Amino acid sequence: MLRVFLILLLFILPLSACAVQPQGQSEPPSAALASYYPELKYQEMSPTPVSGIYEVVIESGDVLYFVPASGHMFLGDLWTADGQNLTQENKSRRMSSKVNLFPLEKAIKIGDGPHQVIEVTDPDCPFCRHGSDYFAGRDDVTRYVFLFPLEELHPHAAAKARFILAADDPEQAYEDVFSGKYDSQPVPDAPDDGRLQLFREIAHKAGVTGTPHFWIDGQHVTGYNPQQFDALLNQ
C-alpha cells in the first residue's frame, strides 16, 4: 500500500495543475487518462460495473480507479453489496494468467501428486513457512518451488536460498531451512549457480513484489490462505 501512495505522489499529485476537461466533453476513457495524467504508465484499463468508473492497472500491477468525466483518481477495493471483492478477483485473474512464465524444470520439485502447485517463497517469511507446512501435509500435490528472498526484510534469506539451490539434495535442504534449522546458525557457504537471479527475474516479470504467492492448478492465491487452498485442491 505504501508503494502505491509513493507512486501517486511521484506521478499523479504533481499533475494536479493539468487543465480540467470541460464539462460535457466526450472522449475515449484512455484519451482522458492520458490528458489528465500524461506521465502515468499503465498496463491496461477496463470498465467496472460502476458506470463512469474505470479500473487502471499500473506498471507495478497495482490497481487505481479513474473517472474520465471529472479526472478523479482513487485507490481502494471495489466491493459488491453481497461482499464480493471485485478488485481482488481481477488481480487474481491477471496473476493466474501468468502461470506459464514459470519454467518448472528450473524449480525445486517436491512430491508427485496430481495437483500442480507453484510456490514463490522466501525462506525466512513466516507465512511462506506456514504454506510450506500446509503442502508438506498433503500427498496429492507436486510442488514447484521458486525462491524469492526479500532481503530488505530478511537479510539472511538470500544465503539460505543459495544454500538450498546448491545442495546435493535440494528438497532436504529446503525442508531443513524452512523448518528453522538454520535460524540460529549460519548456513554453509554455497556457490551461486545463477538460478536465484533467474527466479528473481521471473517473479518480477510475473508482478510478484512480496511473498508468498501460489498457483494451484493454474489458479493464483496470494498469501497463506488454507481455506482457499482447500477449496482449490478439493474441487
Side-chain angles (χ1 to χ4, degrees):
M1 185 66 74
L2 176 60
R3 178 162 49 84
V4 178
F5 279 116
L6 290 175
I7 291 168
L8 287 170
L9 289 172
L10 289 172
F11 295 106
I12 297 177
L13 294 182
L15 302 172
S16 58
C18 290
V20 176
Q21 296 293 329
Q23 291 295 322
Q25 179 172 331
S26 176
E27 63 178 340
S30 59
L33 182 63
S35 177
Y36 281 111
Y37 306 107
E39 300 300 321
L40 181 66
K41 300 183 185 302
Y42 65 97
Q43 299 178 18
E44 61 181 89
M45 180 180 183
S46 57
T48 71
V50 183
S51 178
I53 296 179
Y54 289 76
E55 181 183 81
V56 179
V57 182
I58 59 178
E59 281 196 326
S60 66
D62 294 299
V63 172
L64 304 174
Y65 290 97
F66 174 59
V67 185
S70 64
H72 287 90
M73 184 84 77
F74 61 92
L75 173 70
D77 285 0
L78 187 63
W79 294 78
T80 66
D82 60 358
Q84 184 182 5
N85 189 328
L86 300 180
T87 304
Q88 291 302 319
E89 287 184 3
N90 287 342
K91 284 182 179 179
S92 181
R93 172 184 54 78
R94 286 190 294 272
M95 291 297 286
S96 293
S97 70
K98 298 176 181 180
V99 66
N100 292 327
L101 292 175
F102 295 91
L104 302 186
E105 71 280 2
K106 299 289 187 181
I108 302 164
K109 183 174 177 290
I110 302 174
D112 59 359
H115 294 287
Q116 181 192 85
V117 178
I118 296 173
E119 305 174 32
V120 178
T121 186
D122 178 325
D124 282 340
C125 162
F127 297 104
C128 297
R129 292 188 179 189
H130 291 323
S132 180
D133 288 342
Y134 173 93
F135 290 109
R138 300 190 67 115
D139 60 6
D140 59 349
V141 296
T142 300
R143 301 162 62 191
Y144 296 92
V145 178
F146 293 82
L147 299 169
F148 186 56
L150 303 174
E151 296 174 84
E152 305 85 359
L153 299 175
H154 308 129
H156 305 296
K160 292 176 179 178
R162 284 191 291 270
F163 167 73
I164 294 170
L165 292 172
D168 292 335
D169 186 347
E171 181 177 347
Q172 184 59 55
Y174 168 93
E175 297 296 343
D176 289 343
V177 168
F178 275 72
S179 67
K181 178 178 179 179
Y182 293 101
D183 287 354
S184 57
Q185 60 177 314
V187 294
D189 290 335
D192 187 345
D193 65 359
R195 269 199 297 168
L196 184 55
Q197 180 58 30
L198 173 64
F199 289 176
R200 287 188 174 115
E201 292 171 0
I202 294 167
H204 285 305
K205 187 179 295 186
V208 172
T209 57
T211 55
H213 284 261
F214 303 93
W215 281 260
I216 300 175
D217 292 333
Q219 297 299 306
H220 177 257
V221 181
T222 302
Y224 173 62
N225 191 329
Q227 292 80 16
Q228 196 169 0
F229 299 162
D230 287 343
L232 291 171
L233 291 170
N234 297 333
Q235 288 182 18

